[in-house]
Every structure is written in structure tokens, then in C-alpha cells.
């Protein structure tokens, strides 16, 4: 049964999308983090370029219908495994 409840569509699948997008944009996450650590209080001004690159990367994934479908498939697989075994699996990080 692949019918999705409201919470699955609006919370659980977007959560997977957010985690995966952060992994896929990890170079931009690292660049922004590094800039913030080096800059301190002026990060709002000094790290604007890194922040924009990170946002563009993340939004690119969040707004991609194919990426949503991939994450939905991953969620349904996890849900099916959980229903069969009763054991919740931790998502593996992509390296």
C-alpha cells in the first residue's frame, strides 16, 4: 500500500529530502560553515556568497520533482521494512 498520509507527505518525506540535500550539497555546507567560523560577527556580510551558493543548491533539490520521487521511494521502502520487521532503520549517510 503506497498511499501517503498527510504527515508523510508534509513532514517525513521532506525530512528525508532535507537530509539528502544537505549531504549532496556538503561542499557548500562546509564552505559556509568555514566562512562563518573564520568571520565571526561579520558573517552576515562576509559570507553572503557562500550562503547564496548553499541556498541555491538546497532549493534546487527541494524543488526538483524527480528528487522528491526518489525520496518518496526511499521513504516507502523504509516504511515497508519497518512494517515487516518492527525495526526502525537509521538512514545511511552518503559519502
Amino acid at each position: 500500500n503506497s498511499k501517503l498520509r498527510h504527515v508523510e507527505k508534509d513532514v517525513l518525506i521532506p525530512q528525508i529530502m532535507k537530509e539528502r540535500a544537505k549531504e549532496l550539497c556538503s561542499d557548500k555546507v562546509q564552505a559556509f560553515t568555514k566562512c562563518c567560523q573564520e568571520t565571526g560577527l561579520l558573517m552576515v556580510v562576509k559570507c553572503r556568497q557562500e550562503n547564496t551558493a548553499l541556498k541555491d543548491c538546497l532549493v534546487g533539490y527541494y524543488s526538483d520533482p524527480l528528487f522528491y520521487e526518489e525520496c518518496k521511494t526511499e521513504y516507502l521502502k523504509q516504511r515497508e521494512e519497518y512494517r515487516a520487521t518492527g525495526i526502525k532503520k537509521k538512514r545511511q549517510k552518503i559519502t
Side-chain angles (χ1 to χ4, degrees), residues 12-79:
L12 300 175
I13 293 171
Q15 199 171 21
I16 290 174
M17 291 176 75
K18 188 176 180 181
E19 288 172 18
R20 286 198 55 208
K22 274 171 89 172
E23 290 168 8
L24 294 166
C25 297
S26 66
D27 57 330
K28 288 158 187 70
V29 171
Q30 288 172 352
F32 179 65
T33 304
K34 185 174 181 234
C35 180
C36 291
Q37 288 169 342
E38 291 172 356
T39 313
L41 293 174
L42 295 172
M43 68 183 180
V44 175
V45 176
K46 298 254 185 185
C47 302
R48 197 172 286 149
Q49 192 175 348
E50 290 83 352
N51 189 28
T52 300
L54 174 57
K55 276 187 191 170
D56 289 348
C57 184
L58 294 173
V59 169
Y61 283 110
Y62 297 157
S63 57
D64 180 353
L66 288 174
F67 186 66
Y68 176 85
E69 288 303 318
E70 270 178 44
C71 293
K72 176 177 148 186
T73 301
E74 182 180 330
Y75 172 76
L76 290 171
K77 198 171 108 187
Q78 287 175 8
R79 185 178 78 174

